[in-house]
Amino acid sequence: MDAYIEHKLQQGGKPTKPLESFFLTRHLLDAQLFPVLDVAWTINQFERIQQLNREDPQALGKHRSNIIQAILVACLRRSGDYLKLKLQAELEDLEKLGLLYQQVQGLESHEVERVLYPIWGKVEKLAALARKAEGKRRELLEALLARINAS
């Protein structure tokens, strides 16, 4: 992997293959291979992949998709109870809760549920929180529930 990064990304000037970025992005974000993630260095590698492939929009799209999917999978794998508690605490702020609501607009109901599950768990828990909430917080939580229940 180090040789690939050195020769193909850092010194190379030719486009890379989407299959290469598929595996590389997953390896770079693997917690067992890299227990301490060097975020800046990793972002630089992702940017270099995109830079090398900017001439072919179709290939660039595949590379970007590989990068996004790898990041999403890495985040979901690392999102344990600690993250859930941290996000719940952050979302006590109405402005941040409003931003979350804005971010899920336009998503399909199953996608909204997938976004909200790591934060609150089952829909029933979110519904219980909404019933207990007051004012704008209640409105936002009910709006999130409505996005899940939208057909």
Side-chain angles (χ1 to χ4, degrees):
M1 187 168 54
D2 291 334
Y4 175 85
I5 292 169
E6 176 74 25
H7 298 293
K8 287 271 194 159
L9 297 183
Q10 294 174 350
Q11 295 175 2
K14 296 180 182 177
T16 58
K17 297 176 184 172
L19 188 60
E20 294 170 351
S21 70
F22 174 85
F23 287 110
L24 179 64
T25 55
R26 279 150 181 78
H27 283 95
L28 291 178
L29 296 171
D30 186 315
Q32 291 181 337
L33 293 174
F34 298 97
V36 178
L37 181 64
D38 183 342
V39 176
W41 181 85
T42 304
I43 289 171
N44 285 337
Q45 304 319 305
F46 293 163
E47 288 175 347
R48 184 64 178 147
I49 291 168
Q50 293 177 83
Q51 183 182 39
L52 290 170
N53 293 283
R54 69 179 177 266
E55 300 298 323
D56 182 353
Q58 187 175 12
L60 180 58
K62 289 179 183 177
H63 288 288
R64 283 184 176 156
S65 178
N66 287 338
I67 293 167
I68 291 167
Q69 288 175 18
I71 292 170
L72 180 59
V73 167
C75 288
L76 290 173
R77 284 185 176 158
R78 288 184 169 103
S79 68
D81 290 335
Y82 170 77
L83 180 59
K84 185 183 286 189
L85 293 173
K86 182 149 178 61
L87 287 173
Q88 285 177 358
E90 288 291 319
L91 292 172
E92 290 297 317
D93 180 336
L94 285 178
E95 184 177 335
K96 291 178 183 175
L97 185 58
L99 289 172
L100 175 64
Y101 175 72
Q102 289 175 1
Q103 291 298 313
V104 300
Q105 292 301 304
L107 296 179
E108 298 289 326
S109 61
H110 67 279
E111 294 171 313
V112 175
E113 188 170 2
R114 196 176 310 148
V115 169
L116 299 181
Y117 184 84
I119 301 168
W120 287 290
K122 293 184 179 182
V123 175
E124 293 80 13
K125 182 173 181 184
L126 180 57
L129 287 172
R131 285 192 299 274
K132 292 178 186 176
E134 297 178 356
K136 183 69 174 169
R137 179 169 179 70
R138 182 180 189 138
E139 287 177 34
L140 288 168
L141 292 172
E142 288 175 343
L144 287 169
L145 283 167
R147 292 294 309 133
I148 292 171
N149 297 323
S151 48

